[in-house]
Amino acid sequence: MYNMDAYLKTLTSNAVKLSKKMQDNLAEGTRDFRFENQAHFLDTNEDKMREIRKNLDSKYEKEKLDGLKRLIAMISKGRDVSEFFPDVVKNVASNSLEVRKLVYIYILRYAEQEQDLALLSINTFQKDLSDKNQLIRAMALRVMSGIRVPVISPIVMLGIKKCVTDLSPYVRKIAAHAIPKCYQLDPAQKDALIDIISTMLGDNSTYTIGSVIMAFNQVCPDRLDLIHPQYRKLCKMLVDMDEWGQITAMDLLLRYSRTQFLNPIGKLSATPTTRVKKEKSNVKSFYSDDDSDVSHHSSRSSDSESDDENNSVDPDLAFLLKCALPLLQSRNSQVVLSVAKLYMHLAPAQDSYKIGRPLIRLLRTHREIQYVVLNNIVAIASQRPYVFDQFYQHFFVRSTDPAFIRNLKLDILTLIASESNITFILRELQEYVKSSNKDFVTQAIEAIGRCASNIPAMAESCLGGLLKLSYSKSDSVAAQSVVAIRRLLQQRPGDCIYMITQLTKALDEITESLARANIFWLVGQYCSQLSTVAPDVLRKAAKSFCSESESSKLQILTLGGKVVAQEGTSSKTINLLFQYVLNMARYDLDYNVRDRARFLRVLVYGEQKSKKISSGDHGQEVHEDEDHEEHEDQVEDVGGFEYNEKELKLSDHVKAILLSDKPAPVQENPSHGREQYKIGSMSLVLNRAVAGYEPLPDWPTTQPDPSVRRLAATMEAPGYMNDRTGFGSDSVYAQSRQGQSGGFGGSGNNGSRYGQTTAGPGAQSLDKFLESSEEETDSSDETDSDEDETSEEEDSSGEEETSEEEEDEDEEEEEDDGDKDEGSSSEEEAILPPSSKRSNSRR
Amino acid sequence: MAAGEDVTREDVLPIIASPKYQLINVYRDGLTYLSPVTKEVDPIMVFEFLHRFSDIMLEYFGQVSETVIKENFVTVYQLLEEMMDDGFPLTTEPNALKEIVPAPNILSKVITTMGATTSVSTRKMPHGMSNLPWRKAGVKYTSNEIFFDIVEEIDAIVDSTGKAVSCEAHGTIQTNSRLSGMPDLTLSFVNPRLVDDCSFHPSVRFNKWESDKVLSFVPPDGHFRLMSYRVNLPSQQNLPVQVKPSFNIGANGAKFDITVSLRNTDGKPLENVVLTLPLQKSTASLTATCNVGQYMFDPVGKVLRWDIGKILPRERAPVISGSFGLGASSDATVNSGFNIGLEFLINSHSLSGLKVDVLKLFNEGYKPYKGVRTMTKAGRYQVRA
């Protein structure tokens, strides 16, 4: 009984103690809980700072964590907390992964400043490299390679070498990432690192290979010879790599292909496949004639003929393009753009229509991406407008588009305008003129002008539209339309007279100086055909001369000069008018106007008259004028005159000087020049070569040896590399499933995303690879024998169709076998690192 | 990464160039993500990464704002550390990241705080990655469910006569997967040929879509976007709604009335209808009456916002009419047009008509519950007047 009592007593006291302890814990816990919000760490007063050191020395992980979090907070606020380095380094071997991760962040940040102390941590990392958890191994190598202390480069090198043969593809991936870091640390290691890269290129894990290629691009981008044996394998693996790996891989394959294959692109006009494109090319050649660029054009067409002959695409290159095509459906915009890059720079021109649709899709994503994609579309459309001409609706401007998007869209609309879509585009552009944003209106009118000059057939209606706009009550609209009309008329002298007469009628209403100046110039230039209108315009202009703007005054003077030159000095009225204008200009406030007046006076009336008027030094004056003249675009060529003051009477030549034919302005798209840069590059967006920009290598003129890519058939990758784990290659888990459930035919095939892309050993020949999927349907569950079979398989014709069907059957089988499969791949499988799983399936 | 806002932030170029540096910036949710670049790089890759980072934060914290980042800055630091290695993206799949950087959630916090001092050190080490980087290993649910939300947005420019100048539908299939183990799913549609162009989550097998027009995939755990697609609609497409604006502009003011009427919604009501009408900067005052909902005029931004709410079929069409006065400098206004913006939502309706047919599950024994919802929204919907 006593025992019982005592027992009860201790029990109650224990219970009390326990509950008290629980309460304490709870109280503390809830206090912490309230603070779980990490923001309070950002409070950095001095008291708290002092606590940090204490926290870091604490034996409790939780306090250490608090201290570290406070440190990270300091870093984020830009404070230098390197003084805590010794205290932090002590915790590098902490048992808590959470503590360690924060320590790593800290070390990576300050190791460069505290090199000696940083060395203290190296031992731990080296030990961690042999940890059984792949994440720990990977993390150790990441931090070690990230510490920028040159002394440790040999140790990093050893670490890389160790991890390169790691069974876990994740660790190998990290090892690949460490290579460029090690190279930066100690460039002398380059050769050894290249050796490592060359081995790692044989890796068959889609998880790893992207990072290996990244390392390759960083360390030895020129060693393309290392790619030869891996080329086909890389193409094949492309679809299963992770998004970022796909991007780097396509970069590499682009560079590789540009050096190893003959140019298959063909010329723009050489698109014999479809009739529509044929028409396009006709349009193109039609207006390239118009540009009086006949020589260029003829050379182009002869080029295209010769191209047609050797326009065959190397099978290896065709394979790459085929492998890249499905990536157009990636969710990652850069992947899509990289495929577009491949197709623009590698594929025959007639294939480029494939990239149109996906690029249009990207326009629906974030505005920043939209901006870059539009820039690239400009570059593509300026070379191959037919890629986008059916998508014109997608480039219509929305009222909510920011300015930079708006302008790009206008550029694209003018570039892709063709006879089939021009009516819609023009209607749309006229809609934009209604906008209340002046800049936008200006751009839209310019765009109408550009459309008209690109498509001569439509120029008529464009001009009509512009003329209507020039009556607009809005000054800026009127001004811009007159400018656009002027440009167009210069290209099409035939239509001039009627248009100019119309414009002069509007002169009274147009107040914008730019518009008036342009009309004056037009009248002057074509005054020979406007013998009745021109003098009248001059009369009106003389009347309003004082109230005109500077640019208009200059143009009125020129107009006067031209009319006089045309009519000769005989017509008294005109002469008087001109002299009136000259006299007005002589006392103008603006020196440019005064200069121009003096110049024209001497030019038209010769020196005698000017002597009377101006008492200055003629030689100098004429000389000045000569300079002046060169600056003005009005007079085209002065160099032809043998300048001799004594003998030459300029006035004899005045008609030739003033009324010579002016070259029509070439209207260039504002974004002209982008097409010379690589699609997708920063340089293209900025339209200038950015530091580090490498232009694409030129195509070779003779075919390099294609057999180099076949060498790989004999090469066998080390066992650990044939691990097929990784992005996309679900085949692996399908295989392991197979191993467990006794196997049903072809599940290895079923898993692979791209039927035939099941990674084989090394690389096989094209044909073999196409069949490999079929072979695998018969293969046993042993990976190795499976591989051997595929590589030894004979060449029979590909039968993808059947393999596809079998795949479907398999799936149904699977459904039946569902119960049998259950759980086989879930827990147990996944918990094991992939490496050990592989050994399972091997057994 | 800095937070900031500016009035004209929308118009800042996404790439600001100086002779030596390029500042790549992303503006999202009122935050600016900035990435300075010193040498040639594919800019979209940077944009894509920055947006991906923002997506991941959204996935981790439920929302992204300056306060949220401050409250979780340690996690944010760890995420950055894992996602980016020496300037190259490393792990960007949410499922894989959650293995390495635990997401903050109430339950785990309660456990760690209750366990107080001891359990931090004995916390289970993450055991490693699964075969598929986008899927966690060892997922277990008591009830296995998967939900598909088909959300379509209409982008349209409609001219004053009610004709669509351009018109297309963009759809996404947002998926929430709560399935155990490693399920291998095949989703088929009744009418897959409607899809004009599409992009997929990395888990989707491209060739299956190419050959059979089915989506075959092993889903990630949790929320993800399975597919986005574009449907080209014919320009004679019957849009679900018609806006009839009329403006009568006088010397120093204008009268307007706008009618919104339902068309072609399969008898479904139009919900959350909001009409916005930005007016000229010179607009001085505005008075209006509407028979449904309520309107608001923002005198600073000069925007009329009319909250219509729900429009039921066969009900009287909502009308707003009124007048506004124009200030002195109404020079350019005479000619300029108006752009009406419209927002709306139609539940259980898909404009394109895309329908899910069957979901088959392989590799696991259970029968999952499949939920499909469709919804049509106005995307960039603009009516010119």
Side-chain angles (χ1 to χ4, degrees):
Chain A
M1 227 23 181
Y2 170 79
N3 269 352
M4 194 65 170
D5 267 358
Y7 180 68
L8 267 177
K9 215 173 181 180
T10 43
L11 199 68
T12 39
S13 71
N14 275 349
V16 168
K17 270 187 210 159
L18 191 71
S19 74
K20 194 168 184 308
K21 198 177 175 193
M22 284 281 281
Q23 261 176 358
D24 286 353
N25 266 350
L26 254 177
E28 193 175 323
T30 42
R31 196 189 42 159
D32 282 349
F33 192 61
R34 246 183 292 126
F35 281 145
E36 196 49 50
N37 179 339
Q38 296 167 354
H40 74 280
F41 293 116
L42 291 164
D43 171 18
T44 52
N45 70 44
E46 291 309 310
D47 286 349
K48 300 257 165 73
M49 288 285 284
R50 247 169 270 132
E51 256 174 52
I52 292 181
R53 190 160 277 137
K54 211 177 80 198
N55 278 346
L56 289 173
D57 285 338
S58 159
K59 59 181 175 174
Y60 298 115
E61 305 284 1
K62 186 146 185 52
E63 288 184 9
K64 284 184 185 172
L65 262 183
D66 280 357
L68 284 165
K69 283 181 181 172
R70 209 173 286 280
L71 274 181
I72 306 278
M74 301 286 177
I75 295 176
S76 76
K77 289 193 143 193
R79 271 181 76 157
D80 182 12
V81 284
S82 52
E83 50 178 315
F84 295 100
F85 204 94
D87 306 274
V88 176
V89 159
K90 271 188 284 186
N91 290 312
V92 77
S94 161
N95 285 327
S96 157
L97 198 59
E98 250 176 289
V99 170
R100 269 208 221 179
K101 273 196 252 176
L102 298 186
V103 170
Y104 291 164
I105 292 178
Y106 181 92
I107 289 182
L108 284 176
R109 166 106 196 166
Y110 288 108
E112 221 171 344
Q113 294 176 30
E114 308 279 338
Q115 305 215 348
D116 293 342
L117 284 169
L119 293 179
L120 293 176
S121 58
I122 299 297
N123 250 338
T124 325
F125 295 136
Q126 275 184 299
K127 209 177 78 210
D128 281 354
L129 283 179
S130 313
D131 195 282
K132 62 179 187 301
N133 185 322
Q134 53 171 340
L135 284 179
I136 305 262
R137 293 199 299 270
M139 217 163 13
L141 184 63
R142 263 189 79 188
V143 181
M144 202 159 82
S145 58
I147 296 177
R148 272 172 246 166
V149 182
V151 195
I152 62 162
S153 73
I155 304 174
V156 176
M157 191 72 193
L158 281 178
I160 293 175
K161 275 186 183 150
K162 186 178 162 72
C163 290
V164 157
T165 55
D166 199 288
L167 284 172
S168 153
Y170 179 69
V171 177
R172 295 208 298 276
K173 186 183 174 76
I174 298 295
H177 275 268
I179 291 173
K181 292 189 232 172
C182 183
Y183 175 57
Q184 280 162 25
L185 214 57
D186 182 10
Q189 306 264 29
K190 186 172 181 178
D191 288 338
L193 288 170
I194 292 178
D195 282 347
I196 295 177
I197 291 175
S198 139
T199 333
M200 287 193 86
L201 279 169
D203 203 317
N204 281 336
S205 162
T206 49
Y207 200 89
T208 314
I209 195 78
S211 302
V212 178
I213 295 171
M214 186 272 296
F216 178 90
N217 285 342
Q218 299 259 318
V219 178
C220 52
D222 300 328
R223 289 293 305 276
L224 290 174
D225 55 303
L226 296 177
I227 304 301
H228 290 318
Q230 309 296 348
Y231 173 80
R232 289 173 193 177
K233 185 194 78 177
L234 290 180
C235 292
K236 207 165 47 183
M237 287 169 78
L238 201 54
V239 76
D240 282 334
M241 293 182 197
D242 69 306
E243 304 157 62
W244 315 108
Q246 286 168 344
I247 295 165
T248 35
M250 279 191 272
D251 257 358
L252 169 70
L253 291 171
L254 171 62
R255 275 193 298 120
Y256 179 84
S257 303
R258 285 290 283 228
T259 58
Q260 297 301 321
F261 305 113
L262 292 179
N263 184 351
I265 294 180
K267 288 298 171 205
L268 306 179
S269 42
T271 48
T273 39
T274 38
R275 203 148 34 98
V276 190
K277 279 159 209 158
K278 198 88 178 177
E279 279 167 26
K280 296 285 139 50
S281 69
N282 284 342
V283 173
K284 179 90 187 159
S285 51
F286 184 73
Y287 58 74
S288 60
D289 270 343
D290 231 15
D291 291 345
S292 72
D293 198 357
V294 184
S295 61
H296 180 217
H297 173 68
S298 62
S299 74
R300 175 187 286 172
S301 59
S302 68
D303 262 0
S304 69
E305 272 162 32
S306 62
D307 264 11
D308 270 341
E309 285 155 26
N310 54 17
N311 207 354
S312 60
V313 184
D314 188 291
D316 275 331
L317 180 56
F319 183 52
L320 165 65
L321 294 170
K322 181 171 158 264
C323 288
L325 197 59
L327 300 187
L328 282 173
Q329 288 170 338
S330 168
R331 64 168 171 178
N332 187 317
S333 327
Q334 178 61 52
V335 174
V336 178
L337 200 59
S338 290
V339 181
K341 174 158 67 174
L342 285 189
Y343 269 80
M344 277 305 285
H345 297 311
L346 292 180
Q350 67 264 24
D351 282 347
S352 44
Y353 71 91
K354 288 176 184 160
I355 61 178
R357 224 171 265 280
L359 286 181
I360 296 289
R361 191 189 64 230
L362 297 188
L363 296 181
R364 195 63 186 12
T365 50
H366 305 286
R367 55 195 276 281
E368 295 85 8
I369 292 175
Q370 193 186 358
Y371 169 69
V372 182
V373 171
L374 282 173
N375 268 305
N376 282 290
I377 290 179
V378 169
I380 296 173
S382 64
Q383 298 166 75
R384 303 178 191 176
Y386 53 83
V387 177
F388 295 105
D389 63 357
Q390 51 170 320
F391 299 114
Y392 63 91
Q393 287 185 345
H394 297 272
F395 303 111
F396 286 176
V397 178
R398 287 166 197 283
S399 54
T400 45
D401 284 336
F404 53 87
I405 299 278
R406 228 163 37 200
N407 297 343
L408 282 169
K409 281 185 171 175
L410 282 180
D411 283 356
I412 296 170
L413 283 177
T414 57
L415 282 172
I416 62 172
S418 66
E419 272 163 41
S420 54
N421 58 25
I422 184 71
T423 37
F424 304 104
I425 291 179
L426 273 184
R427 198 182 302 156
E428 183 70 12
L429 287 175
Q430 282 174 356
E431 200 65 37
Y432 300 156
V433 176
K434 291 183 191 166
S435 162
S436 54
N437 182 323
K438 280 194 178 181
D439 285 344
F440 182 41
V441 173
T442 312
Q443 302 261 8
I445 294 173
E446 262 179 40
I448 296 178
R450 279 206 302 271
C451 283
S453 60
N454 285 355
I455 302 166
M458 290 308 288
E460 204 86 25
S461 57
C462 289
L463 273 175
L466 287 171
L467 192 61
K468 232 180 269 167
L469 289 175
S470 66
Y471 295 134
S472 159
K473 297 223 169 75
S474 159
D475 286 344
S476 55
V477 173
Q480 275 308 318
S481 359
V482 172
V483 174
I485 290 174
R486 199 254 303 151
R487 284 201 197 125
L488 273 178
L489 288 182
Q490 281 186 273
Q491 288 168 8
R492 311 165 48 83
D495 296 338
C496 279
I497 304 313
Y498 170 74
M499 290 296 295
I500 295 173
T501 328
Q502 293 296 314
L503 282 176
T504 51
K505 283 181 189 160
L507 198 57
D508 290 337
E509 277 149 47
I510 296 176
T511 49
E512 173 79 23
S513 66
L514 187 60
R516 292 180 71 87
N518 271 286
I519 296 176
F520 290 136
W521 184 84
L522 270 175
V523 173
Q525 185 57 31
Y526 297 98
C527 65
S528 60
Q529 290 137 293
L530 293 163
S531 45
T532 49
V533 181
D536 194 51
V537 173
L538 181 61
R539 180 184 63 81
K540 281 187 185 168
K543 244 164 65 180
S544 62
F545 188 81
C546 294
S547 53
E548 297 285 350
S549 69
E550 185 206 327
S551 55
S552 299
K553 281 175 182 165
L554 290 175
Q555 291 310 326
I556 292 171
L557 284 167
T558 313
L559 165 68
K562 283 174 178 169
V563 174
V564 171
Q566 176 64 31
E567 301 290 321
T569 38
S570 53
S571 168
K572 207 178 165 196
T573 342
I574 292 174
N575 267 307
L576 279 172
L577 263 177
F578 184 45
Q579 286 187 6
Y580 172 73
V581 173
L582 285 178
N583 285 334
M584 301 272 276
R586 195 178 167 203
Y587 299 106
D588 199 87
L589 284 174
D590 191 277
Y591 56 83
N592 271 333
V593 176
R594 295 199 300 270
D595 265 2
R596 178 72 61 87
R598 273 202 293 274
F599 159 61
L600 281 171
R601 193 187 293 272
V602 176
L603 189 64
V604 175
Y605 295 112
E607 292 169 42
Q608 293 85 357
K609 272 198 176 167
S610 70
K611 210 176 253 171
K612 288 176 206 158
I613 299 160
S614 71
S615 51
D617 180 358
H618 305 237
Q620 193 192 348
E621 191 166 56
V622 175
H623 198 78
E624 269 173 22
D625 289 338
E626 188 94 37
D627 282 348
H628 194 103
E629 195 175 29
E630 274 172 350
H631 291 305
E632 294 296 330
D633 56 2
Q634 309 300 338
V635 181
E636 193 193 16
D637 187 11
V638 201
F641 291 100
E642 196 54 41
Y643 178 68
N644 187 327
E645 217 186 312
K646 293 275 157 59
E647 290 166 21
L648 181 79
K649 269 191 176 168
L650 275 178
S651 49
D652 293 346
H653 301 282
V654 65
K655 199 168 171 183
I657 294 172
L658 284 178
L659 287 170
S660 62
D661 274 339
K662 311 297 185 291
V666 182
Q667 277 188 293
E668 276 194 348
N669 198 300
S671 36
H672 180 77
R674 280 167 207 237
E675 57 278 1
Q676 58 181 306
Y677 298 107
K678 257 189 278 188
I679 298 295
S681 63
M682 174 83 85
S683 304
L684 182 140
V685 176
L686 300 178
N687 203 359
R688 66 177 165 85
V690 170
Y693 176 78
E694 299 225 342
L696 280 171
D698 284 331
W699 294 100
T701 44
T702 52
Q703 173 68 53
D705 182 13
S707 65
V708 284
R709 284 181 289 279
R710 257 175 239 135
L711 289 174
T714 54
M715 279 174 53
E716 188 71 52
Y720 64 88
M721 284 181 176
N722 286 327
D723 186 344
R724 291 166 187 180
T725 0
F727 283 100
S729 57
D730 346 16
S731 41
V732 171
Y733 90 88
Q735 275 165 16
S736 53
R737 209 198 319 159
Q738 206 175 3
Q740 297 239 346
S741 61
F744 37 84
S747 60
N749 178 16
N750 169 45
S752 171
R753 194 183 330 168
Y754 213 65
Q756 65 266 52
T757 49
T758 321
Q764 307 151 328
S765 81
L766 254 174
D767 295 342
K768 278 181 184 167
F769 137 83
L770 283 172
E771 285 148 29
S772 64
S773 56
E774 198 207 343
E775 253 74 77
E776 291 211 359
T777 51
D778 305 320
S779 69
S780 68
D781 47 356
E782 272 192 6
T783 324
D784 286 354
S785 65
D786 170 15
E787 280 161 8
D788 292 343
E789 266 176 47
T790 38
S791 55
E792 286 164 21
E793 216 36 66
E794 74 291 332
D795 284 17
S796 58
S797 61
E799 291 175 34
E800 286 172 78
E801 283 296 319
T802 41
S803 72
E804 294 267 325
E805 278 166 34
E806 277 171 28
E807 227 173 295
D808 290 348
E809 283 168 27
D810 294 338
E811 274 179 15
E812 271 158 41
E813 255 183 75
E814 252 178 353
E815 204 178 19
D816 299 336
D817 293 355
D819 292 346
K820 225 200 298 181
D821 286 354
E822 190 183 5
S824 59
S825 67
S826 58
E827 266 224 308
E828 197 181 1
E829 276 305 311
I831 289 172
L832 290 168
S835 47
S836 50
K837 190 179 313 146
R838 166 164 167 82
S839 54
N840 266 359
S841 67
R842 263 180 144 178
R843 240 172 264 140
Chain B
M1 193 195 340
E5 207 172 3
D6 198 6
V7 190
T8 54
R9 182 61 186 86
E10 289 288 325
D11 279 332
V12 172
L13 272 179
I15 302 175
I16 303 168
S18 79
K20 271 193 174 170
Y21 308 98
Q22 287 83 44
L23 297 176
I24 297 187
N25 64 92
V26 161
Y27 181 60
R28 190 168 154 175
D29 307 323
L31 292 173
T32 299
Y33 301 81
L34 188 65
S35 162
V37 171
T38 51
K39 61 175 197 205
E40 175 63 45
V41 64
D42 288 351
I44 290 203
M45 188 158 154
V46 183
F47 286 130
E48 190 77 40
F49 180 83
L50 291 176
H51 278 294
R52 196 65 63 82
F53 182 66
S54 185
D55 289 342
I56 295 280
M57 286 205 292
L58 192 68
E59 170 89 23
Y60 263 72
F61 312 127
Q63 52 166 323
V64 183
S65 69
E66 198 182 331
T67 7
V68 168
I69 292 179
K70 271 187 180 163
E71 280 171 10
N72 297 286
F73 75 95
V74 177
T75 319
V76 172
Y77 254 83
Q78 291 185 4
L79 282 175
L80 262 181
E81 190 68 26
E82 289 306 324
M83 290 179 71
M84 176 64 78
D85 181 70
D86 200 27
F88 195 81
L90 186 61
T91 310
T92 50
E93 283 298 331
N95 271 235
L97 274 173
K98 280 181 180 165
E99 295 276 292
I100 308 172
V101 182
N105 67 62
I106 294 295
L107 191 70
S108 77
K109 269 174 205 164
V110 173
I111 291 170
T112 46
T113 35
M114 296 303 259
T117 47
T118 48
S119 71
V120 179
S121 50
T122 54
R123 224 187 80 88
K124 201 180 77 179
M125 293 261 190
H127 39 61
M129 343 275 289
S130 79
N131 290 331
L132 307 172
W134 60 80
R135 186 167 178 90
K136 265 190 276 201
V139 183
K140 256 188 187 161
Y141 289 103
T142 41
S143 64
N144 291 291
E145 327 165 288
I146 183 161
F147 301 97
F148 300 97
D149 280 2
I150 304 181
V151 183
E152 287 187 356
E153 295 193 355
I154 315 172
D155 284 5
I157 303 177
V158 184
D159 68 8
S160 48
T161 62
K163 221 177 116 246
V165 178
S166 87
C167 178
E168 46 175 350
H170 289 267
T172 55
I173 303 183
Q174 294 288 352
T175 311
N176 183 9
S177 154
R178 302 166 58 77
L179 301 174
S180 317
M182 281 284 169
D184 195 338
L185 302 174
T186 304
L187 183 72
S188 56
F189 297 100
V190 178
N191 39 12
R193 307 277 159 192
L194 283 173
V195 172
D196 186 42
D197 184 44
C198 45
S199 68
F200 302 117
H201 188 267
S203 60
V204 177
R205 298 175 180 111
F206 293 138
N207 73 316
K208 280 285 193 178
W209 175 259
E210 281 305 308
S211 57
D212 310 339
K213 295 284 170 196
V214 295
L215 298 178
S216 163
F217 60 102
V218 177
D221 191 42
H223 293 272
F224 67 102
R225 174 182 292 184
L226 178 63
M227 172 187 184
S228 13
Y229 59 92
R230 193 165 60 85
V231 183
N232 258 344
L233 301 170
S235 56
Q236 307 85 357
Q237 167 83 27
N238 283 329
L239 291 166
V241 60
Q242 190 182 24
V243 178
K244 270 196 208 132
S246 97
F247 287 86
N248 201 342
I249 299 165
N252 39 17
K255 282 183 180 157
F256 67 94
D257 71 302
I258 304 169
T259 314
V260 182
S261 48
L262 266 188
R263 263 191 352 192
N264 188 39
T265 59
D266 297 345
K268 307 256 166 52
L270 218 60
E271 292 168 57
N272 303 353
V273 187
V274 178
L275 184 145
T276 49
L277 171 64
L279 296 166
Q280 281 89 0
K281 294 287 167 240
S282 58
T283 309
S285 61
L286 184 139
T287 51
T289 50
C290 50
N291 63 348
V292 180
Q294 50 193 1
Y295 78 92
M296 239 173 56
F297 178 63
D298 168 14
V300 183
K302 312 286 183 198
V303 178
L304 170 72
R305 184 188 155 91
W306 179 24
D307 242 310
I308 304 175
K310 200 167 185 174
I311 306 179
L312 291 161
R314 283 183 300 281
E315 237 181 36
R316 227 173 54 161
V319 184
I320 190 168
S321 56
S323 60
F324 52 89
L326 294 169
S329 59
S330 54
D331 161 46
T333 54
V334 189
N335 203 12
S336 68
F338 297 89
N339 286 302
I340 299 170
L342 195 67
E343 294 164 39
F344 58 82
L345 185 158
I346 311 169
N347 271 317
S348 359
H349 175 78
S350 97
L351 190 72
S352 65
L354 190 74
K355 274 200 180 72
V356 169
D357 187 16
V358 197
L359 177 76
K360 288 186 196 158
L361 181 136
F362 305 103
N363 197 31
E364 295 289 340
Y366 51 82
K367 279 263 173 275
Y369 171 78
K370 171 194 75 171
V372 182
R373 262 198 316 197
T374 52
M375 185 198 288
T376 299
K377 286 201 289 191
R380 297 182 270 198
Y381 201 102
Q382 180 192 341
V383 181
R384 287 178 181 156

